Amino acid sequence: MADNNNNSNNNEEQYCSMCHRPSSEVGKLIRLAPGLNICTDCMQKSLDTIANSPFPGPFGFNGQGPFSGNGSNNGQAGSKGKSGEDVEDADIEGNNVPSTDTNPDVVESDEENDEENKNNNQGFGGFMPFGFMPEFMQPNIKPNKKKKKKKPALDFNNLPAPHIIKAKLDEYVVGQEHAKKEIAVAVYNHYKRIEAEKNGDIEIEKSNMLMIGPTGSGKTYLVKTLAKLLQVPLAITDATTLTEAGYIGDDVESVLSKLLAAADNDVKEAENGIVFIDEIDKIAKKRNSNSRDVSGEAVQQGLLKLLEGADVEVPVGSTSKNAMVPMTTMNTSNILFICGGAFPDLPEIIKKRLNKQSGIGFTSDLKDKYDNDPNILHKVTTEDLREYGMIPEFLGRLPIVFALDGLTEEMLMQILSEPKNAILRQYQRLLALDEVDLAFDDDAKRAIAKKALEKKTGARALRAIIEEFMLDIMYEIPKDDNIGRVTITGDYVNGKGSPLIEMRSEPFRIQKQNPM
């Protein structure tokens, strides 16, 4: 290049831009850009660094390029040269630059690393100085993502019997004996039906279910435990977000989109899954409304084809249909639909129907006979649900209707400690990490249960109550390493006393701190 000729004619001495040594010491410099000159030693070191780089990249510097020292680059010069030879100017547009390094150690190290580097990258026939790579040529290193282990599919030939399904549910859910029996039988018959249709001429209809129960009684927890036991895809959705097609909100097909996502977009596996639609009572037909009921009766009508069984176009990876979302077709004939809702005003409708039979006399029923009945929902009929706002076509596709028991004080005490994931066991585990034992006496459990009943939010109230009185304990315990055991008493739960703190040597009591 012309600039190199000027270097020789110019009296000003040139310096290497990397090691800052003068040209009188290192010899002729390689000009890469105006004002950027590099000696042959620094150039060779840069090329060796690129060749031995462990980072995989789109162009693969792995010792297989023109500067790897193996001399096999389709007739191009290798890195091994003769000392004293003049080095030509480097072409920054990507032409190869021969090296003049005569150090045999460098060549041998490259040859030793050739085999190792072959596994990392592939050869690069061009030249790009180290530190001058464009951004798009930089190594694209992504963290290793853990592959999600696929759950084993349900074996239809070895289905667990209903009593086995109920026994497993008993480990996690307290009470609700009738509801667990209904679910166990319905699920067993549903998956037997799928297998029977392959080898028989008789078509068995689906056993879709409708669960009715007060809030916090365990409707969602029952379905989650059931899907975990059967190892089938489960989609839990909320009916409050569903609207008629064309309006703001989720279409009814979004229910199947969530099921498809739970099955890792495996359509065949998703078609044998379970869909739980919670808050189904929120799509009841609106009363005394002159506007279009886009989130009530219209949603019930939209769900009819899904419940009965049909081929439905489902958006993949989205809850709404549009031109940018891929679509797939799912058949809902073998999908088990379970609907659940609290139906808050339903007890009054049931009482109104039952009180029609009341009269005057010793053998008549009193009007207040059912006022304090905690299990009034067990007397529900299709007529009551129609009066609540559910359309007959929708109810006809949910042949199994059952109610959950209202939680009593004894049931709440069992929920505190008996299930596998009981809330008291969770707190005991937290303190066990600090090497402290946590115990609750019977009075404390009863006091917690009574407070939960007053809140009328079912089992969900238990954690809120425990969090309140456990705040000071969880704050103070880590301060003292000598504390070995904490016993929660009924007086402490009611705010009248303090917990029993046992040191590792002797027991004593501490007063509960007053909240700020």
Side-chain angles (χ1 to χ4, degrees), residues 336-383:
L336 179 63
F337 288 89
I338 304 176
C339 301
F343 292 88
D345 297 331
L346 189 59
E348 299 300 326
I349 296 175
I350 298 174
K351 292 176 185 178
K352 182 179 178 181
R353 173 177 56 84
L354 295 176
N355 287 332
K356 290 180 180 179
Q357 303 174 358
S358 61
I360 300 175
F362 293 103
T363 59
S364 62
D365 291 334
L366 301 178
K367 287 189 176 182
D368 59 352
K369 177 180 179 180
Y370 305 101
D371 288 348
N372 297 322
D373 188 356
N375 297 321
I376 186 67
L377 291 176
H378 285 282
K379 299 178 175 62
V380 66
T381 62
T382 305
E383 178 186 348

Side-chain angles (χ1 to χ4, degrees), residues 249-270:
D250 293 337
D251 297 339
V252 292
E253 288 83 3
S254 65
V255 175
L256 300 179
S257 297
K258 294 181 180 180
L259 180 63
L260 188 62
D264 295 332
N265 293 331
D266 187 342
V267 176
K268 185 177 180 180
E269 186 178 355

Side-chain angles (χ1 to χ4, degrees), residues 47-114:
L47 297 176
D48 291 341
T49 303
I50 296 174
N52 297 325
S53 175
F55 299 108
F59 301 98
F61 299 101
N62 67 338
Q64 297 296 317
F67 312 107
S68 61
N70 54 13
S72 58
N73 193 34
N74 298 330
Q76 297 176 354
S79 63
K80 190 173 182 180
K82 297 180 181 180
S83 63
E85 283 187 359
D86 293 338
V87 181
E88 298 295 336
D89 293 341
D91 188 352
I92 61 174
E93 294 180 358
N95 296 329
N96 297 332
V97 179
S99 173
T100 60
D101 196 335
T102 58
N103 187 355
D105 295 335
V106 176
V107 177
E108 290 176 3
S109 64
D110 285 346
E111 292 176 352
E112 292 172 359
N113 293 330
D114 279 348

Side-chain angles (χ1 to χ4, degrees), residues 174-175 409-419 422:
V174 172
E409 184 177 312
E410 295 297 328
M411 293 175 65
L412 289 172
M413 291 179 63
Q414 292 176 334
I415 292 172
L416 282 171
S417 57
E418 290 186 6

Side-chain angles (χ1 to χ4, degrees), residues 164-227:
I164 298 177
I165 298 177
K166 182 181 177 300
K168 290 293 183 180
L169 293 176
D170 289 338
E171 297 178 2
Y172 296 91
V173 182
V174 172
Q176 312 297 353
E177 297 298 323
H178 178 69
K180 287 186 287 190
K181 187 181 296 185
E182 289 271 13
I183 289 179
V185 173
V187 170
Y188 181 70
N189 290 338
H190 173 73
Y191 285 106
K192 275 201 311 182
R193 160 189 173 271
I194 296 176
E195 188 65 22
E197 286 185 349
K198 300 177 182 178
N199 303 319
D201 297 332
I202 300 177
E203 294 184 1
I204 306 174
E205 293 185 359
K206 284 200 300 181
S207 302
N208 296 325
M209 291 177 276
L210 174 61
M211 288 194 300
I212 303 172
T215 179
S217 57
K219 299 184 294 296
T220 306
Y221 194 61
L222 266 174
V223 179
K224 285 183 178 180
T225 307
L226 180 66

